[in-house]
Amino acid sequence: MSDGQDAGGAVAHTGGSAAGPGRGRRARTVVLRPRPPHSRHLLRRASAAPGGSVAERTVPWLRVAAAYAWRLILVGVVVYGAFTILGRFQLIAVALFLALVITSILRPVTDLLNRGLPRPLSVAIALIGSLLLLFSLLAFIGEAVAGEWAKLASEFRGGIGQIERWLERPPFRLSPRRLSDLQGQIVSYLSSHRSSLLSSAVSGLGRAVELITGAALALFSSVFFIHSGERLWGWASDQFLPRAARPTWDRMGHAAWRTFAGYTRGIIIVAATNAILVGIVLLLLRVPLALPLTLLEFFATFVPLIGSPVALGVATVVALAGRGPLTAAAVLLLIVVIGQLEGHVLHPVVMSWAVRLHPLVVAVSVIAGSIVAGVIGAIVAVPFVSVAWAVLQALRPRPP
């Protein structure tokens, strides 16, 4: 086809003889369908492309989405592999996380003591003093529980009877026969599953041994982290990173440690405040096991948004069995007050200088962490997300 095809390709004339001169053939007229404007646009782009290459026939947003998609898939694979490796070495990972927590708490104390004492002596005083304080607190609580055990047992028996009488009245109206049948079912279940309960207890002893091993590893690691954490970080950077990547790596590390240490100190302040308030109220209401419940509230606050209501729910059950429905209702009211205080006062004021995450992000992180790794995942999830966000903020290019 030749002679006279225009840019739109509307009409083309073909003439001449295919068999040589003297043998004419009637000229043919071929009508072509006009090209759409999009096709002419692509042809112009192809002609304007360097080297005459054909341009991509995709819309811009699809190319951008595809580029982000394969990068997100790569990041997801790396994160999944990291969590798989951490799951294989869960004891070591938890011990190192606990060592970082201890370091973030005791490092300021060690730096303060180091102004007048040598560094090794400052580390030893900080660690041994904190251990003595922790063991003294546990011994005091154990002695208080042992001293009230006989009185507590009688109160619990009377409280269980009071609960049964309460369930027999409206609105529940449970008959005494049904309650006795329920008690019989519980006893028969315990007797029939005695072997499984015994195996669970034995596995619990194994977990206790793992807990002691992890605590020893955490304490051993924290000694080096507190004493010479900067030198360990510098040695790792010099050994495993090229010289051009070290400033970026240092900026990431400082941002991550600042966020992690701030979160740890902030959550300890929040937990201590919650525990003091709960302990005062439980002592005023004369709830049994007030000191152990206060300690439970302190450790449960390390799981944001979930731990404190669960601990106060246990306190409500104890108050119902030991003191009656009115005291239990007062403890339920305490759950609401502590939740509002923690969510609207303590977290915004204490944690704003360290972690700036939306409460929805915190809730989703806690639930996702609990799905992946149970209670440990729920505790680790929020500081992990906070550190990741701080690193991303540090990697963003700064405006001139």
Side-chain angles (χ1 to χ4, degrees):
M1 182 176 63
S2 60
D3 294 332
Q5 180 176 350
D6 58 355
V11 179
H13 299 279
T14 304
S17 173
R23 292 175 128 186
R25 182 175 293 179
R26 193 172 49 186
R28 293 178 301 164
T29 300
V30 180
V31 180
L32 300 178
R33 298 174 60 185
R35 289 191 178 93
H38 177 69
S39 177
R40 292 199 298 271
H41 177 66
L42 288 178
L43 284 175
R44 284 196 298 268
R45 289 182 59 189
S47 61
S53 60
V54 180
E56 296 184 35
R57 301 195 179 190
T58 54
V59 291
W61 67 265
L62 187 57
R63 291 197 301 271
V64 174
Y68 275 105
W70 74 261
R71 287 177 172 86
L72 289 176
I73 291 173
L74 181 61
V75 172
V77 170
V78 172
V79 172
Y80 178 78
F83 275 101
T84 303
I85 295 174
L86 290 177
R88 295 286 184 180
F89 301 96
Q90 184 178 5
L91 180 62
I92 299 176
V94 172
L96 291 179
F97 176 80
L98 185 59
L100 291 176
V101 171
I102 296 173
T103 304
S104 64
I105 297 172
L106 298 183
R107 181 62 185 266
V109 179
T110 305
D111 293 339
L112 183 62
L113 293 174
N114 193 27
R115 295 179 180 179
L117 297 175
R119 188 71 180 182
L121 184 59
S122 303
V123 174
I125 292 175
L127 283 174
I128 295 175
S130 60
L131 288 176
L132 289 177
L133 180 62
L134 179 61
F135 289 151
S136 300
L137 180 62
L138 293 177
F140 175 71
I141 293 176
E143 184 179 359
V145 172
E148 296 180 358
W149 187 255
K151 180 181 178 182
L152 182 64
S154 62
E155 287 182 353
F156 262 81
R157 283 194 295 268
I160 291 174
Q162 187 176 0
I163 292 174
E164 291 179 354
R165 292 190 296 271
W166 180 51
L167 292 175
E168 292 175 1
R169 296 195 297 265
F172 299 101
R173 298 184 180 276
L174 294 179
S175 62
R177 181 178 178 181
R178 184 172 297 180
L179 292 175
S180 61
D181 292 340
L182 181 61
Q183 293 178 359
Q185 290 176 4
I186 294 174
V187 173
S188 62
Y189 176 82
L190 293 177
S191 61
S192 61
H193 295 79
R194 186 178 303 171
S195 59
S196 62
L197 293 175
L198 183 60
S199 63
S200 299
V202 173
S203 63
L205 291 176
R207 298 291 293 181
V209 173
E210 291 183 0
L211 182 63
I212 295 173
T213 305
L217 179 60
L219 187 62
F220 181 74
S221 303
S222 63
V223 172
F224 296 97
F225 290 164
I226 297 173
H227 182 267
S228 55
E230 293 88 354
R231 281 184 288 176
L232 289 175
W233 179 264
W235 174 82
S237 299
D238 294 339
Q239 293 293 324
F240 300 106
L241 292 176
R243 186 178 299 274
R246 291 172 191 172
T248 304
W249 187 258
D250 289 338
R251 189 167 70 250
M252 292 168 51
H254 285 93
W257 175 248
R258 184 170 59 250
T259 303
F260 180 82
Y263 174 81
T264 303
R265 296 163 191 164
I267 198 65
I268 288 176
I269 294 173
V270 173
T273 306
N274 284 355
I276 291 172
L277 293 176
V278 169
I280 292 173
V281 174
L282 293 181
L283 288 174
L284 291 177
L285 295 175
R286 293 185 296 171
V287 176
L289 298 176
L291 291 177
L293 291 174
T294 303
L295 187 62
L296 177 63
E297 169 67 20
F298 175 78
F299 287 110
T301 310
F302 284 89
V303 182
L305 303 178
I306 297 177
S308 181
V310 171
L312 289 177
V314 176
T316 303
V317 175
V318 174
L320 180 62
R323 300 293 298 171
L326 293 178
T327 306
V331 177
L332 282 176
L333 181 61
L334 179 64
I335 294 177
V336 178
V337 173
I338 291 296
Q340 295 297 318
L341 181 64
E342 180 181 351
H344 294 87
V345 177
L346 294 178
H347 270 284
V349 172
V350 177
M351 307 292 285
S352 60
W353 50 272
V355 181
R356 296 180 180 178
L357 295 178
H358 195 273
L360 180 60
V361 177
V362 174
V364 172
S365 302
V366 171
I367 295 174
S370 63
I371 293 174
V372 173
V375 179
I376 296 176
I379 296 173
V380 176
V382 177
F384 178 81
V385 174
S386 304
V387 168
W389 179 250
V391 170
L392 289 177
Q393 293 292 325
L395 290 178
R396 285 184 175 180
R398 299 178 180 178

